[in-house]
Amino acid sequence: MKTKCKHPALGWSIVLCSITLMACQVLASSAFAVENGGYPRSDFLVSTQWLQDHLNDPNVRIIDRQDTLPDEDLFAKGHIPNALRMTTDAVKGTKLGIPEMLIAKNFIDYLESHGISSDHHVVIVAPCSKLQAATRVFWALELFGHTKVSLLDGGTDKWLAEKRPWTTDVKSYPKTSYKVDLQRQRLLTGEELFGWLGLFKQLDIVLIDARKADEYAGQKMSRASEKLGRIPGAVSLPFDRLLVGDSYKEFKTANEIKQAFDSVGAAPAKNVFFSCVSGCAASVDYFAARLLGFPKAAVYDGSWIEWSRKDYPVEAGDQAGTNGSGDKEKAPKAKSPAKKPELPRTGC
């Protein structure tokens, strides 16, 4: 069977042959092996010591994601020296009636007004409880073609636990221009996903849902959504399965992350897409995939908030059905709330 695909992550006008895909999967599974617990893209994480050594490096810009709610100002109470405060409106807004979407102009305006160019090495820092706020910025920067971007491993929790420099001084840089090199393959739309239902196997797609297990199973309503359930064919991998630690969270070793992805059928040779409630938790899974060098990873920005508000099919139950992976059976119906839920304040 031959199927043409038009999403960049699948290849513009590339003809995929199922026999060839099976061969690629076999080769990829044997070729992809992480040795000594190292990440293929270890440059995506920096240590607390590295960041302290580069606090005054003119080629480094630090983005602080402590403040994720409209009335928060944790940044004013203290932050890593030379860090720049970023609030949620830089990475989330309403687009075509769907809330919590990335608005390109808002994001680029933030970068330029804070003196961040496409040549800077951007390091994103956040408390571990707000890791998804940091990884969302990472995803957005990759979407716009930024090549030097990292997260602080262990976040500000580890930084403070090690008694490293902390200040209330506010740093500013001269405004600059930002050169966008759009990487469209990093972004997935609901319309694209809807068009691929029933073809996941043929197109070598793995759709990962990063929400909590009860939301995935349709047992609990996700915030700001209008239906229970999930996108048909999605598999479950809550982002906290990729983290380790008590006082602060760090990403598990590469082999442990690989095992988690293996358990849901995700591999570097496949088109691995991520969804959640609004594209935040999904960006944690996305970041982990990029750490392991997955080249065809993408985030569904609208995620469940958008999908549940559209006339799209849904699926429920503990296990993924076949609607995304081959058959076109009708997805199980999930009960919708009698009253449209209020949109809560976002924490990402």
Side-chain angles (χ1 to χ4, degrees), residues 93-101 103 302 305-307 309-310:
T94 299
K95 183 189 297 182
L96 299 177
I98 304 299
E100 303 191 39
M101 301 280 282
I103 309 297
I305 289 179
E306 179 185 46
W307 191 273
R309 296 180 181 208
K310 301 280 189 177

Side-chain angles (χ1 to χ4, degrees), residues 65-74 85 87-89 92-94 99-100 130 132-133 222-225 277-278 280 305 309 341-348:
R65 291 295 283 120
Q66 291 187 78
D67 297 331
T68 58
L69 297 175
D71 55 355
E72 275 188 318
D73 199 1
L74 299 173
R85 180 178 184 247
T87 55
T88 297
D89 55 1
K92 283 197 169 186
T94 299
E100 303 191 39
K130 299 181 179 182
Q132 59 267 42
S222 295
R223 63 176 180 80
S225 62
V277 179
S278 64
C280 287
I305 289 179
R309 296 180 181 208
E342 295 294 326
L343 182 66
R345 302 185 307 169
T346 177
C348 172

Side-chain angles (χ1 to χ4, degrees), residues 132-169:
Q132 59 267 42
T135 52
R136 181 168 175 82
V137 177
F138 175 91
W139 164 72
L141 284 166
E142 282 219 311
L143 174 63
F144 293 121
H146 208 100
T147 57
K148 300 175 185 176
V149 54
S150 308
L151 260 60
L152 176 63
D153 199 19
T156 54
D157 304 69
K158 184 176 183 180
W159 183 274
L160 289 170
E162 295 173 346
K163 302 186 184 304
R164 296 184 184 274
W166 198 247
T167 186
T168 57
D169 295 341

Side-chain angles (χ1 to χ4, degrees), residues 236-249:
S236 177
L237 183 59
F239 75 87
D240 56 5
R241 284 185 54 192
L242 306 174
L243 307 174
V244 65
D246 296 320
S247 57
Y248 52 83
K249 297 291 184 182

Side-chain angles (χ1 to χ4, degrees), residues 181-294:
D181 180 17
L182 185 65
Q183 303 296 302
R184 176 62 178 80
Q185 73 274 16
R186 300 293 175 209
L187 174 67
L188 192 65
T189 69
E191 185 178 9
E192 288 168 334
L193 264 182
F194 177 72
W196 296 332
L197 292 182
L199 298 172
F200 282 12
K201 280 187 177 179
Q202 291 92 324
L203 299 180
D204 225 14
I205 291 172
V206 177
L207 175 61
I208 293 178
D209 190 324
R211 293 177 300 165
K212 295 179 179 178
D214 53 359
E215 294 175 278
Y216 169 84
Q219 298 167 353
K220 179 182 178 181
M221 185 72 70
S222 295
R223 63 176 180 80
S225 62
E226 297 188 4
K227 295 175 187 172
L228 290 164
R230 61 177 175 271
I231 300 169
V235 294
S236 177
L237 183 59
F239 75 87
D240 56 5
R241 284 185 54 192
L242 306 174
L243 307 174
V244 65
D246 296 320
S247 57
Y248 52 83
K249 297 291 184 182
E250 294 179 294
F251 281 91
K252 290 182 176 179
T253 66
N255 278 325
E256 289 172 320
I257 294 174
K258 178 183 180 296
Q259 289 171 9
F261 282 129
D262 284 346
S263 71
V264 294
K270 296 186 178 183
N271 301 292
V272 185
F273 302 148
F274 300 93
S275 177
C276 59
V277 179
S278 64
C280 287
S283 70
V284 180
D285 284 15
Y286 168 88
F287 179 81
R290 295 292 292 131
L291 265 181
L292 266 58
F294 282 44

